[in-house]
Amino acid sequence: MISRKHILILLIGLIAYSFGYSQKQIQYKQIDSTALFMQVYQPEAIEPAKKYPALVFFFGGGWNGGSIDQFKPQASYFSQRGLICFLVDYRVNQRQHTTPFESLMDAKSAIRYIREHANRFHIDPSKIIAAGGSAGGHLAAATALIEDYNENTDNLSISCIPNALVLFNPVIDNGPGGYGYDRIGDAYKNFSPLHNIKKSAPPTIFFLGTNDALIPEETAKYYQTVMKKVGSKCELYLYNGQGHGFFNYKNFEYYKKTVSEADKFLQSLGFLNKEPFIEIN
């Protein structure tokens, strides 16, 4: 007969699998006394000979605050779908008294670390997807488009450019009238993704609510237009009446819609197969 202790252990395991849990916490960077970590979510059973795509999440919070917990539900889902997912911590003003520029340096360091250690994580280094929301969406896009703001301790021979982007109401315009200009100033010219779109920009999916107070619908449409002009794929999904942060798990209807569309997008790139089917919950 199975004891109560064994039943409890089984239940805890099932709950952890259902809701997702970080199987590893990895330090990817040390700056002075600041250690930066990423949490890793993996499929239940890793095939040693297989190389998996990676999905790297950057939380939002205006480069001021925020938590890696924001994208835990997405990481849990996509790890069950067959991706190696990373929740990246990075320096922000409230904790480390840093600027948006240090945040971008950390995002680039994280992508480089993952690519450099691809074998350790069973990752295909040519299939790294950067994702993020709001300021985290800026960081994801900026790792692909911005050439400056590299940490001097990084191995610059390793590319920080992801192979695809999944952007949730990203802050992509930092110019005059855009978000963050008061802190960035004229540096927007080499910091703002919208102002640095170039040929070979990674294929992108862009989610936005039409009532977003920070990112105008027109800005998103212009971003898509410029992406198409340089020959890059950019799918734009607008959600009527939704505001900033509409995609988060607490707004489950739109969490489910954006995760579903992101899944289809990654299938279109060959980064995911249709199976296994995982219910979004």
Side-chain angles (χ1 to χ4, degrees):
M1 183 178 292
I2 299 176
S3 69
R4 288 185 179 181
K5 179 180 178 180
H6 285 101
I7 291 173
L8 181 60
I9 291 171
L10 287 170
L11 286 173
I12 290 171
L14 286 171
I15 291 169
Y17 177 72
S18 298
F19 291 95
Y21 60 95
S22 175
Q23 294 149 322
K24 297 178 184 177
Q25 181 164 280
I26 305 293
Q27 180 177 334
Y28 74 92
K29 188 173 182 178
Q30 179 85 35
I31 295 293
D32 298 323
S33 61
T34 299
L36 294 172
F37 295 85
M38 56 177 70
Q39 290 186 358
V40 188
Y41 285 69
Q42 297 176 326
E44 184 181 18
I46 292 287
E47 298 176 31
K50 184 177 178 181
K51 299 297 183 184
Y52 297 80
L55 180 52
V56 187
F57 289 101
F58 299 101
F59 59 82
W63 312 290
N64 283 319
S67 168
I68 62 170
D69 291 346
Q70 179 180 22
F71 284 105
K72 276 188 176 181
Q74 288 90 342
S76 175
Y77 169 80
F78 280 110
S79 64
Q80 293 177 66
R81 281 284 284 121
L83 303 181
I84 310 291
C85 296
F86 299 83
L87 302 177
V88 176
D89 197 12
Y90 59 88
R91 286 173 288 175
V92 293
N93 180 260
Q94 290 175 0
R95 291 192 286 272
Q96 289 87 19
H97 310 293
T98 50
T99 72
F101 306 119
E102 284 78 25
S103 298
L104 178 52
M105 289 179 188
D106 293 343
K108 288 187 167 193
S109 296
I111 299 288
R112 287 191 175 104
Y113 182 91
I114 291 165
R115 184 166 271 130
E116 184 175 17
H117 296 87
N119 288 337
R120 172 185 179 183
F121 295 118
H122 303 281
I123 284 170
D124 181 341
S126 68
K127 293 183 177 180
I128 295 178
I129 309 135
S134 193
H138 165 273
L139 297 180
T143 61
L145 301 173
I146 303 303
E147 294 183 3
D148 294 338
Y149 308 106
N150 298 287
E151 200 71 66
N152 58 19
T153 53
D154 278 6
N155 181 352
L156 299 186
S157 68
I158 298 171
S159 175
C160 67
I161 299 174
N163 307 100
L165 296 171
V166 178
L167 307 179
F168 301 86
N169 54 230
V171 175
I172 39 85
D173 178 11
N174 310 122
Y179 183 85
Y181 180 72
D182 56 329
R183 283 177 286 164
I184 294 159
D186 285 344
Y188 81 86
K189 295 171 186 176
N190 61 352
F191 185 80
S192 171
L194 181 65
H195 296 82
N196 289 274
I197 297 172
K198 53 196 171 186
K199 189 176 180 180
S200 76
T204 300
I205 189 167
F206 191 133
F207 301 110
L208 185 70
T210 60
N211 282 0
D212 195 309
L214 300 181
I215 298 99
E217 181 180 334
E218 293 74 18
T219 299
K221 289 179 177 178
Y222 182 65
Y223 190 93
Q224 182 186 43
T225 297
V226 179
M227 284 283 284
K228 288 182 176 179
K229 282 184 178 179
V230 301
S232 290
K233 179 176 183 175
C234 185
E235 296 182 6
L236 175 61
Y237 289 84
L238 298 170
Y239 296 88
N240 190 45
Q242 295 303 302
H244 200 66
F246 74 100
F247 60 87
N248 285 311
Y249 187 78
K250 64 182 180 181
N251 195 7
F252 184 75
E253 178 184 355
Y254 290 93
Y255 160 78
K256 185 174 182 178
K257 287 180 178 180
T258 54
V259 166
S260 177
E261 293 298 344
D263 191 303
K264 293 175 188 175
F265 172 72
L266 295 176
Q267 287 184 50
S268 76
L269 301 180
F271 287 12
L272 280 178
N273 298 318
K274 287 187 177 181
E275 301 294 334
F277 171 78
I278 301 295
E279 187 173 353
I280 302 172
N281 54 32

